[in-house]
Amino acid sequence: MLQALIVGAGPVGLTLAAELARYGIGLRLIDKSPRPTQTSKALVVWARTLELMDRMGCKQAFLDTGLRAHGATLRSGGSILGHARFEAIDSAYNFALMIPQRETERLLIDHLDTFGVAVEREVELVSFRQADGHVEATLRHADGAEESVSASWLIGCDGAHSTVRHGLDLAFEGTAQGDDWLLADIRVEGDGAPPGDEIATYLHRDGPLVVFPIPGGRARLIAAIGKTDPAHPRPDPTLDEVQALADRRAGGFRVADPVWLTHFRINERKVSHYAQKRAVLAGDAAHIHSPAGGQGMNTGMQDAINLAWKLAMVERRQAAPSLLDSYSPERNAVGDIVLRNAGRLTDMATLSNPVAQGLRNLAIRFMLGFHAVQDKMAATMSEVEIAYAGSSLSDGPEAGMRWAPAQDDGKPPGSGSVPLFVLYAADTVRGATFTAEFPALVEPTPRRPPDGDRLILVRPDGYVGFSGTAESWDEAEGYLARLSPDRP
């Protein structure tokens, strides 16, 4: 029987498929569209995602393709209100990697191909039902032929209109933001254009305008343009309209050579549970939110990475099935944080009251005058602060925190073809004896911790699972015993 049927071959589904394939899990990846994304869509790959791509084995291709943005500015009326410095991000990838989604998908498809897995195009999930220990799904091919498939797991990475989510009858709770937004992929020219290595936000009384750099000397411009009228949808914008908008809100630069002009609306919605028995959701199927901060795709790809090692360890009989129970609570909490942060940024940028706008600008100028505030903003955007402190997999002080790659002392945890925890212990002799007790769960060779007074187990996704003193061997043993597939 098939181990995993993944629905949706965007960045999230491709990431999940590549990770499961890397760990030897049999899968099929289907998508009803005839071709990958042809437009830029999501633009930013942040530091934490790049750190995880390092263990995936596809980081370098992204670094070679993307453009590195080194900061973000907030501007108003021709003056700079404040600046966030990405170089302060606590990561080797202290920048925002700007790369159009079509390129992200192309690179992930190439990476997936190295495992001998291809996307099955024009194949649609029609329906499914959960049976005893598996899922039975009906697929429809381009010629109308239907196929029945049995899989141990069904994973919906199929976006905001997810067939899997609808099949589970899970409420997608939230609201729609009231404005229409303009999107233009163009060239920005002239002496007044923002630097080509920064994200520039122009706050204006009529609404914000944001310019994102894109490789190839191009830029993405988005702007709020007024209340939505569902009865009268706006036609696609013209280049002249984009120029007039830029003149009014930013001034000093020309727009040219458009390749994509459209409108969009912001929805902020999320499910309360990411899994129901053997059907699981990831990415936009589980959460959608404002593009402010550029974290939607990154959050979805990190959903996939969190899910992949857990599903792989369970399917490989390395860990007890209860390990997968941690996926929904961990990623649900992260989804709440990202949704809240993106919503706050959007609300701040779209204030309409002139007095409130003036107070906002004064507050931004004051707060971003402090390096600590700038650094906090950059750390939040880069997602290096994501942690699982409240997880059932987190035991001990600092458990659930990101394990900084600078402390790896070898390959990143989770690298290679087998998902394993990594033990960090100063007493490597006792450590080797310890790891031999749990060969299915832990790398056989212990590594040196940065602090000799600590005993640490790092999860395959680079987060601290267990943390204790150098003598906490019994507690560490109990931690792994709870995960063991052959526990009493």
Side-chain angles (χ1 to χ4, degrees):
M1 183 169 61
L2 186 68
Q3 289 175 287
L5 174 62
I6 304 171
V7 184
V12 177
L14 289 165
T15 299
L16 179 62
E19 285 292 81
L20 291 179
R22 179 164 70 92
Y23 289 140
I25 302 302
L27 65 95
R28 289 177 65 181
L29 173 59
I30 66 170
D31 196 295
K32 64 182 180 181
S33 65
R35 62 185 64 85
T37 296
Q38 302 298 299
T39 55
S40 53
K41 290 189 177 180
L43 282 181
V44 188
V45 177
W46 285 109
R48 185 54 183 156
T49 305
L50 286 167
E51 290 177 350
L52 294 169
M53 283 181 170
D54 189 20
R55 55 188 283 291
M56 290 175 64
C58 59
K59 169 201 69 178
Q60 194 58 48
F62 279 81
L63 294 177
D64 292 343
T65 304
L67 179 152
R68 303 181 187 195
H70 298 291
T73 58
L74 290 165
R75 303 165 182 249
S76 179
S79 64
I80 295 178
L81 298 176
H83 181 75
R85 310 172 306 152
F86 295 162
E87 64 266 23
I89 295 171
D90 180 24
S91 173
Y93 314 108
N94 54 348
F95 46 82
L97 189 71
M98 312 303 296
I99 179 169
Q101 184 172 326
R102 61 177 176 271
E103 290 297 295
T104 292
E105 292 189 16
R106 178 183 66 80
L107 294 173
L108 288 172
I109 288 169
D110 289 347
H111 179 57
L112 182 60
D113 184 60
T114 65
F115 301 107
V117 179
V119 179
E120 299 179 43
R121 297 266 171 211
E122 297 184 278
V123 180
E124 180 180 5
L125 175 69
V126 177
S127 62
F128 67 91
R129 71 178 186 88
Q130 302 217 49
D132 184 21
H134 68 282
V135 179
E136 296 180 358
T138 299
L139 310 182
R140 181 180 296 132
H141 293 258
D143 61 2
E146 293 192 349
E147 173 190 7
S148 296
V149 175
S150 294
S152 297
W153 301 93
L154 172 67
I155 305 106
C157 305
D158 47 346
H161 303 289
S162 170
T163 300
V164 177
R165 188 185 67 245
H166 285 299
L168 294 173
D169 196 26
L170 292 174
F172 206 30
E173 298 176 344
T175 59
Q177 201 257 356
D179 288 331
D180 278 336
W181 289 72
L182 176 147
L183 181 153
D185 278 1
I186 51 174
R187 291 191 185 278
V188 173
E189 303 172 341
D191 294 338
D197 67 344
E198 75 171 32
I199 300 167
T201 299
Y202 298 84
L203 299 176
H204 188 269
R205 63 178 178 273
D206 294 338
L209 180 148
V210 188
V211 180
F212 300 89
I214 305 177
R218 306 194 63 82
R220 156 81 55 82
L221 184 151
I222 67 169
I225 55 172
K227 294 299 180 183
T228 295
D229 182 357
H232 299 92
R234 300 175 191 265
D236 286 344
T238 65
L239 185 63
D240 287 343
E241 290 171 340
V242 177
Q243 183 66 69
L245 190 69
D247 288 344
R248 180 169 176 78
R249 299 191 189 180
F253 62 77
R254 299 182 304 277
V255 298
D257 191 20
V259 294
W260 190 25
L261 299 173
T262 190
H263 292 110
F264 68 95
R265 296 170 186 169
I266 294 173
N267 279 276
E268 297 176 334
R269 301 185 185 278
K270 187 177 155 297
V271 296
S272 56
H273 300 283
Y274 285 30
Q276 188 180 101
K277 297 181 181 177
R278 287 182 171 264
V280 188
L281 301 175
D284 285 358
H287 50 80
I288 57 172
H289 45 77
S290 164
Q295 295 182 294
M297 181 181 71
N298 290 265
T299 302
M301 292 171 73
Q302 291 175 42
D303 289 346
I305 290 166
N306 183 292
L307 174 61
W309 71 268
K310 295 172 181 177
L311 191 152
M313 290 190 88
V314 169
E315 282 296 298
R316 294 169 59 102
R317 307 292 191 269
Q318 294 175 243
S322 58
L323 174 64
L324 273 165
D325 294 342
S326 64
Y327 168 69
S328 181
E330 287 188 352
R331 297 310 297 172
N332 197 358
V334 171
D336 284 337
I337 292 169
V338 173
L339 188 71
R340 182 171 64 249
N341 288 343
R344 286 173 177 172
L345 285 173
T346 303
D347 291 343
M348 179 273 294
T350 56
L351 287 172
S352 58
N353 182 284
V355 175
Q357 290 175 347
L359 292 173
R360 172 200 63 196
N361 292 356
L362 286 172
I364 290 172
R365 192 184 296 274
F366 174 75
M367 294 299 294
L368 288 181
F370 297 96
H371 282 173
V373 176
Q374 297 176 22
D375 296 350
K376 173 67 175 177
M377 180 178 173
T380 299
M381 294 171 71
S382 67
E383 300 196 336
V384 297
E385 288 190 329
I386 286 174
Y388 303 120
S391 170
S392 60
L393 293 184
S394 300
D395 188 348
E398 301 180 11
M401 303 298 289
R402 159 182 166 266
W403 180 253
Q407 303 177 128
D408 282 345
D409 190 33
K411 292 183 178 180
S415 300
S417 60
V418 181
L420 293 167
F421 285 72
V422 175
L423 173 68
Y424 286 82
D427 188 343
T428 55
V429 174
R430 185 169 182 179
T433 302
F434 176 88
T435 60
E437 296 179 26
F438 300 96
L441 288 171
V442 193
E443 272 189 4
T445 304
R447 305 186 191 183
R448 296 279 183 179
D451 180 351
D453 293 332
R454 308 298 296 169
L455 187 67
I456 298 168
L457 284 164
V458 177
R459 304 170 8 164
D461 58 351
Y463 290 88
V464 176
F466 172 83
S467 174
T469 68
E471 301 304 320
S472 299
W473 294 100
D474 289 344
E475 292 87 345
E477 182 176 0
Y479 176 87
L480 289 178
R482 292 195 299 272
L483 300 179
S484 177
D486 53 3
R487 65 182 180 178

